[in-house]
């Protein structure tokens, strides 16, 4: 079994001394039942479910290059730059697979086999287990190790990278298996006790307990973030292991921790069972995930945008663009609409819409409540199926070439001009884009702060189409007379991608 290097004895001595000193100091204060941490039922739950929790062992042959370790593989969860998890995972994956300088001697890089261990749990006695995708990603061989040490080769059923989940199948041994059931993560309350079981630091089945610290936590690791946050100790190797409630039901899959050192500091995250159940069912049935698709691009409804659209309070998901061949188009949903309810569920922010659409069955007809020009409307939409994200290639803006200087007018801190053929060519703007082009932005203006730049095209002002700078000035002057504090612009880039921008007019 591979795993963390045992701690040297000299590091244990001061730790033990500190523990002893703390115990002596605490003895007069704590006594009897006060020494217990958590409810009495933890031991009963652990005994009931621990045989369903397994270790996931993987191996991969790695081609080392240039004498480097070659020990890292693409199994690290994709995290945004500057994420608090970035340092932990970088350190974790380098250390457990050899790290820098771990290549062969003499500068000759040789292919070698790397091993890793994670956690998982059995959900069907026919031989079905669940773990994290990053635990098994790119593995040449996957093995499941039972609590009694039995090792069984496993096959991959399917993965979902966006929720970091994977389903494995294996041939059950002669001994009967124990499987666990999913509970309802939506019923979890803050402060409720939960139990984590897994394989931290390759030590094997380890039970820890804590409480639910937060729900629906968005940590910006993916489009469907809605983690359970817990202070139950989760460490390296716990990934893919279950988080139980006191009924012995799986309410989450332990996936990430925040830690500057790689060890638990009491902030761990689990994918909620509500998400896991849908992913597992789809992977088992189809071998892939089939998510619902609305066919829109959305953005946040800021206070300025809400004021411009006469929405109080600011809420919902603003439709910034509609796919020509998407389900929203025939339903009559348009840019500028704000979705406030989808299939009976309230939409408070854009991620709410992303999650609920993804969790809705493909082909289902749903009611979508929108706000359009201050009034609520209901549209019926039959959801399509989300396919793999297509890479969007944005044309790079070239350096200004000597061309005839266009006639411009000033408004909102912008230099505006009619979208001529020369300007369209200069900024590589698609023929399908219509409106008034921005040729300059005043430094320090609200427009500059909202990242408008030369080459952007203003398509609408206050939800009305514009074709000239005069149209824009007229609309802005009217809004000032009406006492509006901001104006809502629909802006297109050269590729035709739309977004809404609210600028102050007073």
């Amino acid at each position: 079994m591979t795993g963390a290097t045992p701690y040297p004895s000299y590091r244990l001595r001061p730790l033990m001394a500190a523990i002893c000193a703390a115990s002596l100091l605490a003895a007069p204060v704590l006594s009897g039942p006060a020494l217990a941490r958590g409810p009495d039922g933890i031991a009963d739950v652990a005994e009931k479910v621990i045989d369903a929790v397994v270790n996931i062992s993987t191996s991969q042959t790695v081609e080392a290059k240039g004498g480097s370790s070659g020990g890292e593989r693409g199994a690290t969860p994709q995290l945004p730059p500057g994420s608090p998890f970035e340092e932990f995972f970088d350190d974790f994956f380098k250390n457990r697979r050899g790290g820098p300088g771990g290549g062969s001697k003499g500068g000759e890089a040789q292919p070698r086999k790397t091993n890793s261990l994670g956690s998982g749990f059995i959900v069907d006695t026919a031989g079905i287990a669940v773990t994290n995708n990053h635990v098994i990603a790119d593995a040449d061989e996957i093995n499941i190790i039972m609590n009694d040490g039995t090792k069984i080769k496993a096959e991959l059923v399917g993965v979902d990278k966006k929720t970091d989940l994977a389903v494995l199948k294996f041939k059950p041994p002669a001994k009967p298996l124990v499987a666990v059931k999913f509970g309802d993560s939506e019923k979890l309350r803050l402060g409720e006790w939960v139990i984590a079981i897994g394989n931290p630091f390759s030590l094997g089945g380890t039970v820890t307990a804590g409480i639910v610290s937060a729900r629906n936590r968005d940590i910006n690791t993916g489009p469907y973030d809605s983690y359970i946050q817990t202070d139950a100790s989760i460490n390296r190797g716990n990934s893919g292991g279950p988080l139980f409630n006191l009924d012995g039901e799986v309410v989450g899959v332990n996936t990430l921790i925040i830690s500057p050192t790689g060890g638990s500091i009491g902030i761990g995250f689990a994918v909620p069972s509500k998400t896991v159940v849908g992913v597992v069912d789809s992977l088992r049935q189809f071998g892939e995930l089939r998510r619902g698709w609305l066919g829109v691009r959305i953005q946040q409804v800021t206070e300025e945008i809400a004021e411009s659209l006469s929405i109080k309070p600011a809420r919902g998901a603003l439709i910034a663009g509609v796919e020509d061949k998407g389900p929203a188009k025939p339903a009559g949903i348009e840019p500028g609409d704000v979705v406030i309810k989808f299939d009976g569920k309230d939409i408070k922010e854009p991620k709410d819409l992303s999650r609920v659409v993804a969790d809705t069955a493909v082909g289902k007809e749903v009611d979508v409540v929108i706000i359009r020009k201050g009034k609520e409307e209901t549209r019926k939409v039959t959801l399509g199926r989300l396919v793999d994200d297509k890479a969007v290639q944005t044309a790079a803006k070239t350096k200004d070439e000597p061309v005839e200087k266009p006639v411009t007018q000033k408004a909102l801190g912008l230099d505006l001009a009619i979208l001529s053929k020369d300007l369209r060519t200069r900024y590589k703007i698609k023929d399908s884009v219509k409106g008034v082009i921005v040729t300059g932005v005043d430094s320090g203006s609200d427009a500059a702060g909202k990242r408008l730049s030369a080459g952007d095209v203003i398509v609408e002002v206050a939800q009305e189409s514009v074709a000239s700078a005069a149209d824009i000035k007229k609309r802005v002057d009217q809004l000032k007379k009406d006492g509006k504090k901001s104006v809502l612009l629909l802006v297109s880039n050269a590729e035709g991608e739309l977004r809404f921008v609210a600028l102050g007019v007073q």
Side-chain angles (χ1 to χ4, degrees):
M1 178 181 291
T2 61
T5 303
Y7 292 109
S9 59
Y10 69 85
R11 293 181 64 182
L12 288 174
R13 291 193 190 102
L15 177 61
M16 290 302 296
I19 291 172
C20 291
S23 300
L24 289 171
L25 291 171
V29 180
L30 299 177
S31 62
L35 288 171
R37 181 173 186 263
D40 295 334
I42 289 178
D44 294 332
V45 174
E47 185 177 2
K48 174 184 173 183
V49 303
I50 195 165
D51 285 337
V53 182
V54 298
N55 295 345
I56 308 295
S57 170
T58 67
S59 63
Q60 179 195 24
T61 301
V62 178
E63 299 248 356
K65 295 181 179 180
S68 65
S69 69
E72 294 183 63
R73 74 180 189 200
T76 312
Q78 296 300 304
L79 303 175
S83 165
F85 311 111
E86 195 171 32
E87 179 182 350
F88 160 59
F89 278 108
D90 183 58
D91 173 66
F92 176 28
F93 280 83
K94 282 181 180 177
N95 287 344
R96 76 170 182 170
R97 294 189 175 94
S104 60
K105 294 181 179 180
E108 187 106 10
Q110 297 293 331
R112 61 192 181 87
K113 183 166 284 191
T114 63
N115 300 287
S116 63
L117 282 170
S119 304
F121 56 99
I122 300 169
V123 295
D124 191 328
T125 54
I128 299 295
V130 175
T131 186
N132 279 142
N133 172 59
H134 77 260
V135 170
I136 54 83
D138 300 327
D140 296 325
E141 183 178 304
I142 304 171
N143 288 286
I144 285 179
I145 304 173
M146 304 292 178
N147 192 40
D148 63 2
T150 303
K151 187 174 182 179
I152 306 171
K153 188 174 181 179
E155 296 178 16
L156 188 62
V157 175
V159 304
D160 177 38
K161 294 180 180 179
K162 289 179 179 172
T163 54
D164 195 14
L165 295 170
V167 174
L168 308 174
K169 66 178 180 180
F170 60 96
K171 185 177 180 180
K175 181 181 178 181
L177 293 176
V178 175
V180 288
K181 295 181 179 179
F182 286 105
D184 187 355
S185 56
E186 292 295 289
K187 292 181 179 179
L188 286 176
R189 297 183 301 158
L190 296 184
E192 181 174 340
W193 280 91
V194 286
I195 304 165
I197 304 181
N199 178 34
F201 300 106
S202 305
L203 293 171
T206 300
V207 180
T208 57
I211 62 170
V212 175
S213 306
R215 294 179 60 233
N216 303 317
R217 185 69 85 195
D218 182 357
I219 55 177
N220 296 313
T221 61
Y224 310 118
D225 278 14
S226 184
Y227 289 105
I228 300 165
Q229 182 181 324
T230 176
D231 69 350
S233 293
I234 299 171
N235 292 285
R236 300 174 180 175
N238 272 106
S239 288
L243 187 71
F244 292 101
N245 60 21
L246 292 185
D247 293 323
E249 300 170 327
V250 177
V251 290
V253 176
N254 301 316
T255 300
L256 295 167
I257 64 172
I258 289 180
S259 173
T261 62
S264 174
I265 60 169
I267 303 178
F269 299 97
V271 182
S273 60
K274 179 186 176 184
T275 299
V276 179
V277 169
V279 172
V280 170
D281 287 347
S282 182
L283 292 179
R284 291 186 66 178
Q285 185 175 355
F286 305 111
E288 62 183 357
L289 197 66
R290 298 187 176 182
R291 288 191 169 95
W293 178 53
L294 187 56
V296 297
R297 288 188 297 104
I298 54 180
Q299 68 180 75
Q300 188 79 30
V301 179
T302 64
E303 292 291 343
E304 288 178 312
I305 289 176
E307 192 269 341
S308 299
L309 295 174
S310 302
I311 297 175
K312 293 182 180 180
R315 67 193 189 281
L318 176 62
I319 304 296
V322 179
E323 298 277 351
D324 287 336
K325 296 182 180 180
K329 186 80 170 181
I333 294 176
E334 302 173 354
D337 292 339
V338 176
V339 178
I340 58 171
K341 188 170 288 190
F342 183 94
D343 198 20
K345 301 176 180 66
D346 290 334
I347 305 299
K348 296 179 181 179
E349 57 180 333
K351 276 211 168 182
D352 292 339
L353 183 60
S354 297
R355 292 176 191 134
V356 71
V357 170
D359 290 341
T360 304
V362 176
K364 182 179 180 180
E365 184 180 72
V366 299
D367 287 336
V368 181
V369 180
I370 62 172
I371 296 178
R372 179 180 293 175
K373 296 185 177 180
K375 296 181 180 179
E376 288 190 15
E377 300 180 14
T378 300
R379 302 283 172 166
K380 288 193 177 293
V381 181
T382 301
L383 285 193
R385 179 186 170 190
L386 180 67
V387 295
D388 290 337
D389 295 338
K390 296 179 180 179
V392 178
Q393 295 181 351
T394 303
K397 293 177 183 177
T398 58
K399 293 183 178 179
D400 294 349
E401 299 175 2
V403 292
E404 184 178 348
K405 189 174 181 179
V407 177
T408 62
Q409 284 184 272
K410 277 279 189 186
L412 301 170
L414 301 169
D415 294 328
L416 304 168
I418 293 175
L419 187 51
S420 64
K421 183 178 179 180
D422 285 343
L423 289 174
R424 193 180 289 277
T425 301
R426 179 181 179 185
Y427 291 104
K428 297 184 178 180
I429 298 170
K430 285 187 173 180
D431 292 340
S432 58
V433 178
K434 310 294 181 184
V436 181
I437 189 168
V438 176
T439 60
V441 182
D442 290 350
S443 176
S445 66
D446 191 18
K450 298 294 176 59
R451 298 184 180 179
L452 285 171
S453 61
D456 284 335
V457 177
I458 298 175
V459 179
E460 292 181 359
V461 175
Q463 296 185 287
E464 290 189 11
S465 299
V466 290
S468 67
D471 291 342
I472 294 176
K473 287 179 66 67
K474 181 179 178 181
R475 291 292 298 143
V476 171
D477 289 343
Q478 184 60 51
L479 290 168
K480 286 182 179 179
K481 290 180 181 178
D482 294 340
K484 294 288 186 180
K485 296 179 181 178
S486 60
V487 57
L488 187 66
L489 308 180
L490 180 60
V491 180
S492 173
N493 65 9
E495 291 292 307
E497 292 180 339
L498 300 171
R499 72 184 190 278
F500 283 94
V501 178
L503 299 181
V505 296
Q506 299 297 339

